[in-house]
Amino acid sequence: MNIQERFLKYVSFDTQSDPKSSLTPSTLKQLELARYLVDEMKGLGIDNARLDEFGIVYGTIPSNNDHQGPVIGFIAHMDTSPDAAGNQIHTQLIQDYHGDTIILNQEKGLSLDPHEFPDLLNVIHHDLITTDGTTLLGADDKAGVAIIMQMAEYLLSHPEFKHNDIQIAFTPDEEVGRGTENFALEQFPAEYAYTIDGGNIQEIEYENFNAFSAVVEITGKSIHPGSAKNAMINSIHIAQEFDAMLPVHARPEATEGYEGFNHLHDIHGSCERTVMEYIIRNHDLDLAKKQCQDFKNIADFLNQKYGYTMVEVKIDQSYLNMKEHILEHMYIVDNAIAAMKACGVDAVSVPIRGGTDGANLTYMGLPCPNLGTGGFNFHGPFEYVSLTMMNKQVEVLLKIIEMSLGE
């Protein structure tokens, strides 16, 4: 099976995760792809491929080299984002892309225009897969799954290619921040690993956001509007006041690079009660903590202003920046960069404006930087993936394995 066939098969599974669910995994439909992958892995010769009770797939490609090198792992996630529709995905193949506008959906007037999406200029003469403009594509992270499985097939069909044990894992619920909460390192005995969950394959990432979530609950005073003067306190208006007191320049649409942000991603309510949900991000932990304190300070100010506890803020930590731990194992990054260069890929280190399973795994004791998939515009109908980059990333992973034997 080639990588295009693999990827198209994987995106045919609806694997959206659900941030509101208390199930593990958050949606049982993710298990359909997990079971398929276990069967596929066993068919390739990964005899210990297995699905655990938490929806995580593990497997080992056995050493054919008398264990003369480190045990390396490769990880991708099976779920797709809840931000856009993820079922009944209709794809289109663009061969030898020439840099023109790609029509996604004529009826809806949706297209990929290089003037609006300049990354398209980096994939001229690549073979691309896009959506039809009605769903996300699922390259995040089924492209990563396909790359790892293509690598596995190569290793298992080419016994002359020497390698140590190679650990593979596919996780659920990464998109809702729960990808590693049940990850068992004893089931994944690697010295270090790479998540394949980024964008352009030129990029290697070992710095990510420090991530927190905030839930702001506002209790108003609902009075009949006909007799509301000097009595009603509309919680929706207080929510607007709260949000307006956060710095406008620290919203996602005003930030880039290492700049942090506060993102209001959900708000619902009535006169009596309104709930706002934010994500808080910054590469600098001290600045992230200051952002969290801003939320508490605003709540205190509004409670004092209106004379009762009307605003309550709950803040939880999601994940932390893995940089300080990766710096203690920079040879992992250096090896990947050397492998990329050996494969003709101009490597560049960039900060992740998000997070990966690798961040939590690094804090758990498994150093785990992130590599690209060739996917772009994740989480929406403008998502596309470069098959050319995907095939090249398979070469890079094989080169990482080959070069690791010299460690």
Side-chain angles (χ1 to χ4, degrees), residues 73-323:
F74 298 95
I75 301 165
H77 65 88
M78 299 175 287
D79 66 315
T80 57
S81 170
D83 290 350
N87 63 327
Q88 298 183 348
I89 293 173
H90 302 286
T91 62
Q92 60 175 328
L93 173 66
I94 292 89
Q95 294 181 304
D96 190 20
Y97 173 63
H98 279 77
D100 50 344
T101 296
I102 300 170
I103 303 300
L104 299 179
N105 193 301
Q106 187 78 47
E107 181 180 346
K108 294 179 178 293
L110 298 176
S111 62
L112 285 170
D113 185 335
H115 291 96
E116 185 176 1
F117 302 103
D119 280 332
L120 284 165
L121 300 177
N122 297 322
V123 293
I124 292 176
H125 298 305
H126 289 211
D127 293 337
L128 308 179
I129 294 178
T130 77
T131 75
D132 68 348
T134 61
T135 68
L136 52 69
L137 176 62
D140 181 14
D141 187 27
K142 289 168 184 172
V145 176
I147 288 167
I148 292 172
M149 289 297 291
Q150 202 70 23
M151 174 205 74
E153 181 176 39
Y154 183 90
L155 291 175
L156 290 160
S157 60
H158 290 79
E160 74 280 4
F161 190 104
K162 299 302 180 183
H163 58 84
N164 201 8
D165 283 352
I166 303 296
Q167 300 296 334
I168 292 173
F170 302 120
T171 61
D173 287 343
E174 189 272 354
E175 295 290 359
V176 295
R178 294 170 50 193
T180 59
E181 67 179 11
N182 295 297
F183 196 95
L185 291 182
E186 64 272 15
Q187 299 289 325
F188 194 85
E191 294 181 30
Y192 57 89
Y194 299 93
T195 49
I196 316 302
D197 188 22
N200 193 316
I201 65 166
Q202 292 181 292
E203 299 173 350
I204 181 167
E205 301 163 325
Y206 62 92
E207 302 176 70
N208 61 278
F209 277 136
N210 296 287
F212 298 83
S213 62
V215 176
V216 181
E217 297 188 19
I218 301 171
T219 302
K221 293 182 179 180
S222 182
I223 308 293
H224 189 286
S227 55
K229 186 172 183 179
N230 298 324
M232 175 189 287
I233 298 179
N234 190 327
S235 74
I236 298 173
H237 293 159
I238 304 303
Q240 294 172 320
E241 185 175 0
F242 185 103
D243 189 66
M245 294 179 72
L246 290 167
V248 174
H249 64 272
R251 293 175 179 170
E253 60 269 32
T255 61
E256 62 183 353
Y258 285 94
E259 296 170 332
F261 60 75
N262 306 310
H263 175 42
L264 174 60
H265 68 89
D266 186 80
I267 179 171
H268 56 274
S270 62
C271 180
E272 179 69 23
R273 182 175 180 270
T274 297
V275 177
M276 298 189 291
E277 297 181 11
Y278 289 84
I279 61 173
I280 302 168
R281 301 291 189 264
N282 207 301
H283 286 90
D284 184 303
L285 183 57
D286 288 337
L287 292 178
K289 290 179 178 178
K290 181 183 182 302
Q291 288 170 242
C292 292
Q293 188 62 46
D294 287 344
F295 278 73
K296 297 174 183 178
N297 291 344
I298 293 171
D300 289 343
F301 172 81
L302 291 174
N303 290 338
Q304 183 175 2
K305 175 181 176 180
Y306 289 97
Y308 70 101
T309 305
M310 63 154 41
V311 182
E312 295 184 1
V313 174
K314 180 183 178 183
I315 296 178
D316 291 316
Q317 176 182 298
S318 302
Y319 52 82
L320 295 176
N321 192 344
M322 60 179 155
K323 177 182 177 180

Side-chain angles (χ1 to χ4, degrees), residues 20-31:
K20 305 295 186 183
S21 171
S22 59
L23 298 174
T24 301
S26 66
T27 55
L28 297 181
K29 59 189 177 181
Q30 294 178 70
L31 297 176

